[in-house]
Amino acid sequence: MAEAVFLSIIIPAYNEAHRIGRTLESIREFLQGKSFASEVIVVDDGSTDETAALVERFMHEHPHMAVRLERNRRNEGKGYSVRRGVLAARGEIVLFTDADLSAPIAEAPKLYEPIAGAMADVVIGSRALDPHLVTQPVGRRLAGRLFNLCVRALTGLRFKDTQCGFKAYRREAILPIFRVQRIRGFGFDAEVLYLAHKRGLRLREVPVRWSHSEGSRVRMMRDAIRMVLNLAETRWNDLTGRYDKAG
């Protein structure tokens, strides 16, 4: 019988050949010596560079580490990719992290320990709770605050940072939500949290260390507009019963 997996780490990756090797090595070092079983799932989101090939090379070089590669046929978006990873995961707890590890993987216990201790179903890494832990350009910090005001107005969520790419979920609790999740792009975070809150899951926000990484896929003006539209889409889907129908 296969060993039960405690932690699944999901990495959505689009054209990350320049850093995916370092990211996987950092995660390997973090997991080494842990008493629990784990797996890493990289979801290649239709990359046109060597991302997938480098993941396969890492898998060949480290056969004793449970690493899997899921490949989207084309670029589908971060929300689609995280959803695919979560639905493929086997762990009791599912954690997703951005491929650039802007939040160091060493911060992961802050996310999965409250879930393991039955204190939360969802734990959100936050850049807003303790600014001393965060290195970020002023423009991006202001844009994040403005978007958070939109989140509060359109969804009623009271978290200070819904968009940090570092979250963990109790798989059993979150699977029904990811099965009906619809947003394919960056706005999926708020959609998932909105549905989790509505369904009575226990959500907790914790401060994490975070450093801005050059080469971020987020383009402030373009993606901010799309994410606000995603918030409106989430409310519309809820009001029209689309999530219930999908469920």
Side-chain angles (χ1 to χ4, degrees):
M1 182 180 295
E3 185 179 8
V5 177
F6 170 73
L7 181 67
S8 297
I9 298 177
I10 312 299
I11 309 171
Y14 176 63
N15 287 347
E16 298 287 357
H18 58 298
R19 57 189 165 203
I20 193 64
R22 294 193 304 273
T23 293
L24 288 171
E25 181 59 29
S26 294
I27 293 174
R28 187 190 70 82
E29 292 175 357
F30 169 75
L31 293 173
Q32 199 169 33
K34 293 288 189 294
S35 61
F36 53 76
S38 60
E39 65 177 358
V40 177
I41 302 174
V42 180
V43 183
D44 176 54
D45 191 18
S47 297
T48 56
D49 64 3
E50 296 299 309
T51 297
L54 289 171
V55 174
E56 290 174 339
R57 180 188 301 176
F58 184 90
M59 293 164 61
H60 177 74
E61 293 174 350
H62 302 279
H64 299 298
M65 180 178 172
V67 181
R68 283 189 281 152
L69 174 65
E70 300 279 343
R71 300 187 70 173
N72 299 337
R73 292 186 178 182
R74 59 180 181 270
N75 182 237
E76 298 282 4
K78 185 177 181 181
Y80 180 96
S81 299
V82 172
R83 177 180 187 268
R84 180 170 181 177
V86 170
L87 296 182
R90 297 183 296 120
E92 175 186 340
I93 296 172
V94 180
L95 180 150
F96 92 82
T97 179
D98 287 341
D100 58 17
L101 292 185
S102 289
I105 196 62
E107 297 283 274
K110 293 181 179 180
L111 304 189
Y112 65 70
E113 286 179 352
I115 300 175
M119 294 180 286
D121 299 306
V122 178
V123 180
I124 309 161
S126 177
R127 298 163 292 190
L129 290 179
D130 188 349
H132 297 97
L133 298 177
V134 176
T135 302
Q136 187 178 34
V138 174
R140 287 185 177 270
R141 187 170 297 188
L142 291 175
R145 290 176 180 173
L146 288 173
F147 180 73
N148 186 255
L149 291 175
C150 294
V151 170
R152 290 172 176 242
L154 289 171
T155 69
L157 293 172
R158 291 292 177 252
F159 303 109
K160 292 190 175 182
D161 182 9
T162 61
Q163 298 309 115
C164 181
F166 200 52
K167 295 181 177 69
Y169 316 97
R170 185 166 62 85
R171 184 170 65 92
E172 182 181 354
I174 207 68
L175 277 179
I177 290 168
F178 271 98
R179 287 183 181 130
V180 301
Q181 175 227 334
R182 290 171 171 263
I183 304 299
R184 293 181 171 229
F186 293 111
F188 86 98
D189 285 285
E191 179 191 29
V192 169
L193 294 177
Y194 174 77
L195 293 174
H197 177 70
K198 182 181 178 182
R199 297 190 184 197
L201 299 191
R202 297 167 299 166
L203 282 64
R204 174 178 292 198
E205 187 176 16
V206 299
V208 294
R209 287 189 294 130
W210 196 91
S211 297
H212 175 70
S213 178
E214 294 302 326
S216 169
R217 301 293 171 198
V218 179
R219 300 294 176 264
M220 280 198 297
M221 289 301 298
R222 181 197 67 185
D223 291 323
I225 293 171
R226 288 180 179 175
M227 288 191 291
V228 171
L229 292 174
N230 287 161
L231 293 174
E233 181 182 351
T234 295
R235 287 307 307 271
W236 177 251
N237 287 340
D238 187 30
L239 289 171
T240 56
R242 293 186 178 184
Y243 294 121
D244 297 326
K245 292 174 184 177

